[in-house]
Amino acid sequence: MTSISESGVSDRETVARRLLDSSEQLSYDPVKEVDWETPLDTGYHGASPEWSTLYGTSYWAEMTPEQQRELTRQEAASVASTGIWFEMILQQMVLRDFYAKDPTDPAFQWALTEIADECRHSIMFARGAAKLRAPAYRPRRFVVELGRVFKATATGEAAYAAILVAEEVLDVMQRDWMRDERVVPFVRTINNIHVVEESRHMKFAREETRERLKGAGWLRRQINGLVVAIASYFIVTSMVNGKVYENAGLDGKRARREAKANEHHKSMLRSSCSGLMEFLHSAGLLTKPSLWFYKRASLI
């Protein structure tokens, strides 16, 4: 059951009220905050080079600085496009979860606030990708259809833990990008906005995951732990579309082969997910079957 404080207010309600207050005090309007007018300066990267899927490979060493910058711009646009795809899944799961519930509940009001944030983020990412001169990157058709099933069926801790995985992985890399002066300024601004506002979303996802798991038995944790791991695998492996290499003027076949074997990038992913894996373990969702998918995605 939800714990109640001496004032009679649940921990969940307290968290929701704090998030609403934070949203009122610190939120951004990307239309005004992001410099959309200045033409793209190709002397900048689109993301920190160390986060490129080819960084540390022999192919990266052979590339010209111009090719390296173009690749990071295409990769950043791909990550943004994947972010839009999952934010649309997130919005539908949250709306479905709070359908016909008490609108006076702070958690209900926060859920709508989060959805409004995600709508703005998706438009911001879309405009950012276009300014990076990238095409519309999408996950493979098979993954898109899996997402369609997931958004229509995932409930409770499975939905919120999967939301947390997508948000946490993106959060760590974007914290690096927003501080990196090698990254084009408007992308740094986009990343800063997303990091600030997404921190509230992650807090809510953690709280909801804990709340939904109260009283859950071993079998339920095993099933949902596996569901979250499978969702995580497809989210993470869809972040960088294989077409970014050709669009950056590279040999796509060689680039995909070296990216797949790139231990540096795998190490970056693992380090970014250490806190997330600790949380999933504490929640009883880091099960033995789920470990296979996290290892395949280089998250552990």
Side-chain angles (χ1 to χ4, degrees):
M1 295 178 63
T2 303
S3 59
I4 306 294
S5 66
E6 293 182 3
S7 62
V9 179
S10 70
D11 293 341
R12 182 168 178 260
E13 183 176 343
T14 299
V15 168
R17 287 188 184 279
R18 287 175 180 169
L19 294 175
L20 285 168
D21 290 342
S22 175
S23 180
E24 290 177 5
Q25 295 167 17
L26 188 60
S27 290
Y28 298 96
D29 180 355
V31 173
K32 298 178 180 178
E33 298 290 339
V34 180
D35 179 7
W36 299 113
E37 301 304 320
T38 302
L40 175 66
D41 186 340
T42 57
Y44 286 96
H45 284 275
S48 296
E50 292 78 10
W51 274 101
S52 173
T53 55
L54 288 182
Y55 185 87
T57 64
S58 58
Y59 203 171
W60 179 269
E62 296 173 19
M63 293 162 60
T64 66
E66 290 76 15
Q67 287 177 316
Q68 292 173 352
R69 291 193 293 268
E70 179 60 27
L71 176 60
T72 63
R73 290 194 294 269
Q74 293 296 320
E75 288 177 322
S78 178
V79 169
S81 295
T82 302
I84 294 169
W85 166 69
F86 191 76
E87 284 179 344
M88 295 185 74
I89 292 174
L90 180 160
Q91 292 172 57
Q92 293 179 73
M93 290 194 299
V94 173
L95 271 175
R96 184 161 47 79
D97 186 37
F98 280 88
Y99 174 71
K101 290 187 178 179
D102 180 3
T104 66
D105 181 356
F108 180 99
Q109 295 168 28
W110 166 253
L112 294 185
T113 301
E114 179 169 344
I115 291 167
D117 286 348
E118 298 296 7
C119 285
R120 286 186 290 104
H121 293 169
S122 292
I123 296 170
M124 177 176 71
F125 284 160
R127 293 186 66 179
K131 187 165 181 176
L132 286 169
R133 301 173 185 171
Y137 290 114
R138 296 183 182 89
R140 289 171 295 146
R141 180 61 183 268
F142 172 68
V143 178
V144 170
E145 296 307 319
L146 281 180
R148 197 185 303 280
V149 174
F150 184 70
K151 69 182 176 60
T153 59
T155 58
E157 62 272 16
Y160 286 101
I163 288 171
L164 183 62
V165 170
E167 291 174 338
E168 291 250 7
V169 173
L170 202 56
D171 179 74
V172 174
M173 64 175 68
Q174 287 188 325
R175 285 180 184 272
D176 286 346
W177 302 358
M178 75 183 194
R179 293 188 289 256
D180 193 337
E181 294 185 357
R182 296 169 296 176
V183 175
V184 66
F186 83 90
V187 170
R188 295 178 63 192
T189 303
I190 287 173
N191 291 329
N192 182 68
I193 291 172
H194 196 251
V195 164
V196 170
E197 298 186 347
E198 210 70 16
S199 65
R200 295 189 286 261
H201 301 181
M202 291 188 291
K203 175 71 174 176
F204 185 66
R206 285 174 181 259
E207 188 64 26
E208 287 299 305
T209 300
R210 292 191 190 97
E211 180 68 24
R212 306 309 173 91
L213 279 169
K214 288 179 178 177
W218 178 86
L219 181 59
R220 177 172 154 187
R221 291 175 192 268
Q222 290 290 311
I223 294 172
N224 284 321
L226 184 58
V227 169
V228 172
I230 294 172
S232 302
Y233 172 81
F234 285 111
I235 292 167
V236 172
T237 57
S238 297
M239 281 191 170
V240 177
N241 190 297
K243 295 178 182 178
V244 299
Y245 306 114
E246 284 92 350
N247 290 334
L250 304 178
D251 177 342
K253 189 173 182 180
R254 179 187 173 187
R256 283 186 284 274
R257 183 176 66 250
E258 294 202 22
K260 186 176 181 179
N262 188 356
E263 290 301 325
H264 170 80
H265 189 67
K266 293 176 183 179
S267 175
M268 294 286 282
L269 284 173
R270 282 192 293 269
S271 63
S272 74
C273 291
S274 58
L276 170 64
M277 292 301 133
E278 288 177 9
F279 172 77
L280 293 176
H281 177 70
S282 69
L285 294 175
L286 195 60
T287 62
K288 285 185 178 180
S290 71
L291 286 175
W292 188 87
F293 287 95
Y294 290 124
K295 289 177 180 178
R296 288 278 294 176
S298 299
L299 299 183
I300 197 168

